[in-house]
Amino acid sequence: MARNIQSLERAAAMLRLLAGGERRLGLSDIASSLGLAKGTAHGILRTLQQEGFVEQDDASGRYQLGAELLRLGTTYLDVHELRARALVWTDDLARSSGESVYLGVLHQQGVLIVHHVFRPDDSRQVLEIGAMQPLHSTALGKVLSAYDPVAHSEVLEADRKAFTDRTVCELEDFEHLLDITRARGYAADVEETWEGVASVAAPVHDRRRMPVGAVGITGAVERLCRDGELRPELIAAVRDCARAVSRDLGALRF
């Protein structure tokens, strides 16, 4: 059995200690409560402070939880609320389109799949929750890059790899593609990531009108496209789904 990392255990115990009881604690209080030497406790606190998980009051020298923990906690809640709000609408989209439905969020310069509804047929399929997709070539990724400033910055810094001869990699061409995405309200991927596969996605917004994810369908080119173009009724269905999820998140204007 793998051994736990003692320094991480101590850091976790320190965060739990700061989360309960008094709002702020001094170094001596923290060290004695956890049975640590002051030097050890101070080293852990200093590292947590540098990462934004702990803050030190300048006047008293006491420590409290930092804003980074709030940000991480809010992200966790947002993702789970997004998925919960999308369950019914993504099921409906899978039934109406006959295709697989994916819900994705920005994560580490990519798209993290947080919900996946299987294509409603008898074919063998693999659940892709937790899988990562590229930002620059997939429909989900292009939607996030077009609407989320953080995603936009990350995709510009990332290595925009050519997966097929259709992948748009050059910066000027890619920015033009994002302009088109914003103007149309959806993004397309026709064999830009996988040969023979097409997808279409639209943005999901929250009550602050901030982009919190993207929803889309993926399937064979011959099913999603007609005469080389994505079928309008599928585009409309994806956009309707994204607007419905956005409304359930409080974005009344979407």
Side-chain angles (χ1 to χ4, degrees):
M1 174 182 272
R3 296 178 60 187
N4 292 340
I5 300 174
Q6 188 180 54
S7 58
L8 292 180
E9 289 183 328
R10 289 171 171 175
M14 200 168 287
L15 293 173
R16 293 191 186 98
L17 178 65
L18 290 169
E22 296 183 34
R23 177 177 170 80
R24 293 174 180 157
L25 293 172
L27 174 60
S28 297
D29 299 325
I30 295 171
S32 62
S33 296
L34 299 178
L36 300 174
K38 282 188 179 181
T40 301
H42 185 255
I44 296 173
L45 285 167
R46 186 172 61 248
T47 301
L48 291 172
Q49 186 178 359
Q50 289 171 347
E51 296 298 325
F53 297 131
V54 164
E55 296 174 356
Q56 186 178 25
D57 180 65
D58 292 335
S60 67
R62 290 175 173 264
Y63 294 91
Q64 65 183 31
L65 294 180
E68 182 66 10
L69 281 174
L70 176 62
R71 187 190 70 81
L72 292 177
T74 301
T75 300
Y76 174 84
L77 293 174
D78 285 349
V79 168
H80 282 263
E81 183 182 8
L82 171 63
R83 185 177 181 277
R85 297 290 185 179
L87 290 177
V88 172
W89 300 111
T90 50
D91 282 349
D92 287 347
L93 178 59
R95 281 193 295 269
S96 65
S97 67
E99 301 296 341
S100 300
V101 179
Y102 295 87
L103 183 68
V105 298
L106 176 66
H107 181 68
Q108 295 180 350
Q109 293 189 327
V111 183
L112 173 66
I113 303 303
V114 296
H115 185 52
H116 174 200
V117 184
F118 282 162
R119 184 172 63 254
D121 60 20
D122 295 329
S123 62
R124 182 177 180 181
Q125 300 172 64
V126 177
L127 188 65
E128 295 187 46
I129 294 175
M132 293 290 293
Q133 294 186 3
L135 280 174
H136 70 287
S137 62
T138 61
L140 293 172
K142 283 185 276 189
V143 162
L144 293 173
S145 300
Y147 287 91
D148 185 339
V150 176
H152 183 250
S153 297
E154 292 192 358
V155 75
L156 297 187
E157 296 172 1
D159 178 23
R160 293 183 297 278
K161 175 183 176 183
F163 297 104
T164 73
D165 57 6
R166 290 173 171 259
T167 309
V168 177
C169 301
E170 294 299 322
L171 179 57
E172 185 176 347
D173 295 336
F174 183 71
E175 289 282 26
H176 179 63
L177 196 58
L178 296 187
D179 288 338
I180 293 174
T181 297
R182 285 186 286 266
R184 298 189 304 193
Y186 70 91
D189 166 12
V190 180
E191 297 189 284
E192 293 180 47
T193 310
W194 302 281
E195 296 283 357
V197 177
S199 61
V200 57
V204 176
H205 295 81
D206 66 7
R207 61 184 61 87
R208 300 162 296 175
R209 301 186 64 197
M210 296 294 293
V212 293
V215 63
I217 59 174
T218 297
V221 171
E222 57 266 28
R223 294 198 305 269
L224 267 66
C225 296
R226 183 186 300 123
D227 298 326
E229 300 290 335
L230 285 166
R231 291 163 52 194
E233 65 271 24
L234 294 180
I235 295 171
V238 169
R239 296 191 68 192
D240 286 346
C241 177
R243 282 192 287 261
V245 178
S246 297
R247 284 195 298 270
D248 274 7
L249 288 171
L252 299 179
R253 294 183 61 182
F254 289 93

